[in-house]
mmCIF file of all heavy atoms in Angstrom:
data_model
loop_
_atom_site.group_PDB
_atom_site.id
_atom_site.type_symbol
_atom_site.label_atom_id
_atom_site.label_comp_id
_atom_site.label_asym_id
_atom_site.label_seq_id
_atom_site.Cartn_x
_atom_site.Cartn_y
_atom_site.Cartn_z
ATOM 1 N N LYS B 61 -1.717 -0.073 6.558
ATOM 2 C CA LYS B 61 -2.049 0.395 7.896
ATOM 3 C C LYS B 61 -3.051 -0.539 8.684
ATOM 4 O O LYS B 61 -3.075 -0.694 9.783
ATOM 5 C CB LYS B 61 -2.576 1.902 7.988
ATOM 6 C CG LYS B 61 -1.486 2.887 7.491
ATOM 7 C CD LYS B 61 -1.973 4.300 7.785
ATOM 8 C CE LYS B 61 -3.053 4.669 6.813
ATOM 9 N NZ LYS B 61 -3.265 6.152 6.669
ATOM 10 N N LEU B 62 -4.041 -1.018 7.842
ATOM 11 C CA LEU B 62 -5.055 -1.888 8.393
ATOM 12 C C LEU B 62 -4.352 -3.198 8.756
ATOM 13 O O LEU B 62 -4.672 -3.911 9.812
ATOM 14 C CB LEU B 62 -6.093 -2.181 7.331
ATOM 15 C CG LEU B 62 -7.001 -0.958 6.938
ATOM 16 C CD1 LEU B 62 -7.962 -1.319 5.695
ATOM 17 C CD2 LEU B 62 -7.883 -0.462 8.091
ATOM 18 N N VAL B 63 -3.459 -3.684 7.930
ATOM 19 C CA VAL B 63 -2.702 -4.902 8.213
ATOM 20 C C VAL B 63 -1.825 -4.765 9.515
ATOM 21 O O VAL B 63 -1.957 -5.589 10.417
ATOM 22 C CB VAL B 63 -1.827 -5.326 6.999
ATOM 23 C CG1 VAL B 63 -0.990 -6.427 7.441
ATOM 24 C CG2 VAL B 63 -2.649 -5.694 5.789
ATOM 25 N N LYS B 64 -1.159 -3.678 9.516
ATOM 26 C CA LYS B 64 -0.275 -3.358 10.767
ATOM 27 C C LYS B 64 -1.133 -3.310 11.995
ATOM 28 O O LYS B 64 -0.605 -3.827 13.083
ATOM 29 C CB LYS B 64 0.464 -2.086 10.496
ATOM 30 C CG LYS B 64 1.350 -1.762 11.624
ATOM 31 C CD LYS B 64 2.678 -1.234 11.212
ATOM 32 C CE LYS B 64 3.500 -0.850 12.496
ATOM 33 N NZ LYS B 64 4.731 -1.400 12.502
ATOM 34 N N ASN B 65 -2.341 -2.698 11.966
ATOM 35 C CA ASN B 65 -3.165 -2.684 13.131
ATOM 36 C C ASN B 65 -4.000 -3.947 13.379
ATOM 37 O O ASN B 65 -4.895 -3.930 14.196
ATOM 38 C CB ASN B 65 -3.975 -1.416 13.029
ATOM 39 C CG ASN B 65 -3.306 -0.133 13.334
ATOM 40 O OD1 ASN B 65 -3.134 0.214 14.519
ATOM 41 N ND2 ASN B 65 -2.865 0.485 12.282
ATOM 42 N N ARG B 66 -3.616 -5.031 12.568
ATOM 43 C CA ARG B 66 -4.334 -6.264 12.699
ATOM 44 C C ARG B 66 -5.768 -6.344 12.544
ATOM 45 O O ARG B 66 -6.511 -6.981 13.381
ATOM 46 C CB ARG B 66 -3.920 -6.956 14.087
ATOM 47 C CG ARG B 66 -2.464 -7.084 14.224
ATOM 48 C CD ARG B 66 -1.986 -7.508 15.577
ATOM 49 N NE ARG B 66 -0.567 -7.987 15.564
ATOM 50 C CZ ARG B 66 -0.252 -9.281 15.209
ATOM 51 N NH1 ARG B 66 -1.203 -10.019 14.857
ATOM 52 N NH2 ARG B 66 0.976 -9.547 15.156
ATOM 53 N N LEU B 67 -6.276 -5.514 11.634
ATOM 54 C CA LEU B 67 -7.719 -5.408 11.523
ATOM 55 C C LEU B 67 -8.204 -6.246 10.351
ATOM 56 O O LEU B 67 -9.356 -6.406 10.054
ATOM 57 C CB LEU B 67 -8.153 -3.977 11.210
ATOM 58 C CG LEU B 67 -7.825 -2.947 12.310
ATOM 59 C CD1 LEU B 67 -8.128 -1.506 11.902
ATOM 60 C CD2 LEU B 67 -8.502 -3.390 13.608
ATOM 61 N N CYS B 68 -7.285 -6.903 9.640
ATOM 62 C CA CYS B 68 -7.574 -7.829 8.434
ATOM 63 C C CYS B 68 -7.532 -9.291 8.856
ATOM 64 O O CYS B 68 -6.643 -9.721 9.490
ATOM 65 C CB CYS B 68 -6.730 -7.537 7.306
ATOM 66 S SG CYS B 68 -6.665 -5.880 6.728
ATOM 67 N N ARG B 69 -8.504 -10.003 8.407
ATOM 68 C CA ARG B 69 -8.604 -11.477 8.585
ATOM 69 C C ARG B 69 -8.016 -12.110 7.198
ATOM 70 O O ARG B 69 -7.243 -13.062 7.252
ATOM 71 C CB ARG B 69 -10.020 -11.936 8.644
ATOM 72 C CG ARG B 69 -10.212 -13.465 8.776
ATOM 73 C CD ARG B 69 -11.675 -13.754 8.745
ATOM 74 N NE ARG B 69 -12.301 -13.670 7.574
ATOM 75 C CZ ARG B 69 -12.134 -14.515 6.490
ATOM 76 N NH1 ARG B 69 -11.373 -15.571 6.684
ATOM 77 N NH2 ARG B 69 -12.705 -14.359 5.330
ATOM 78 N N LYS B 70 -8.301 -11.393 6.095
ATOM 79 C CA LYS B 70 -7.908 -11.938 4.839
ATOM 80 C C LYS B 70 -7.636 -10.742 3.807
ATOM 81 O O LYS B 70 -8.361 -9.784 3.986
ATOM 82 C CB LYS B 70 -9.000 -12.889 4.222
ATOM 83 C CG LYS B 70 -8.534 -13.484 2.920
ATOM 84 C CD LYS B 70 -9.683 -14.382 2.403
ATOM 85 C CE LYS B 70 -9.209 -14.999 1.029
ATOM 86 N NZ LYS B 70 -10.241 -15.882 0.425
ATOM 87 N N VAL B 71 -6.647 -10.864 3.005
ATOM 88 C CA VAL B 71 -6.399 -9.894 1.963
ATOM 89 C C VAL B 71 -6.376 -10.637 0.642
ATOM 90 O O VAL B 71 -5.755 -11.720 0.478
ATOM 91 C CB VAL B 71 -5.288 -8.981 2.149
ATOM 92 C CG1 VAL B 71 -5.318 -8.121 3.380
ATOM 93 C CG2 VAL B 71 -3.937 -9.792 2.205
ATOM 94 N N ILE B 72 -7.042 -10.059 -0.406
ATOM 95 C CA ILE B 72 -6.958 -10.568 -1.745
ATOM 96 C C ILE B 72 -6.254 -9.512 -2.591
ATOM 97 O O ILE B 72 -6.856 -8.468 -2.889
ATOM 98 C CB ILE B 72 -8.382 -10.959 -2.275
ATOM 99 C CG1 ILE B 72 -9.110 -11.944 -1.284
ATOM 100 C CG2 ILE B 72 -8.387 -11.441 -3.718
ATOM 101 C CD1 ILE B 72 -10.530 -12.107 -1.647
ATOM 102 N N VAL B 73 -5.006 -9.759 -2.948
ATOM 103 C CA VAL B 73 -4.213 -8.697 -3.611
ATOM 104 C C VAL B 73 -3.210 -9.295 -4.585
ATOM 105 O O VAL B 73 -3.105 -10.574 -4.731
ATOM 106 C CB VAL B 73 -3.469 -8.015 -2.449
ATOM 107 C CG1 VAL B 73 -4.235 -7.104 -1.478
ATOM 108 C CG2 VAL B 73 -2.584 -8.908 -1.664
ATOM 109 N N SER B 74 -2.654 -8.427 -5.341
ATOM 110 C CA SER B 74 -1.663 -9.000 -6.294
ATOM 111 C C SER B 74 -0.181 -8.933 -5.849
ATOM 112 O O SER B 74 0.609 -9.481 -6.377
ATOM 113 C CB SER B 74 -1.716 -8.227 -7.609
ATOM 114 O OG SER B 74 -1.218 -6.919 -7.574
#
Side-chain angles (χ1 to χ4, degrees):
Chain B
K61 292 189 288 194
L62 295 174
V63 172
K64 178 139 180 128
N65 285 276
R66 299 172 164 276
L67 298 177
C68 300
R69 181 186 72 77
K70 180 178 180 178
V71 293
I72 302 171
V73 293
S74 74

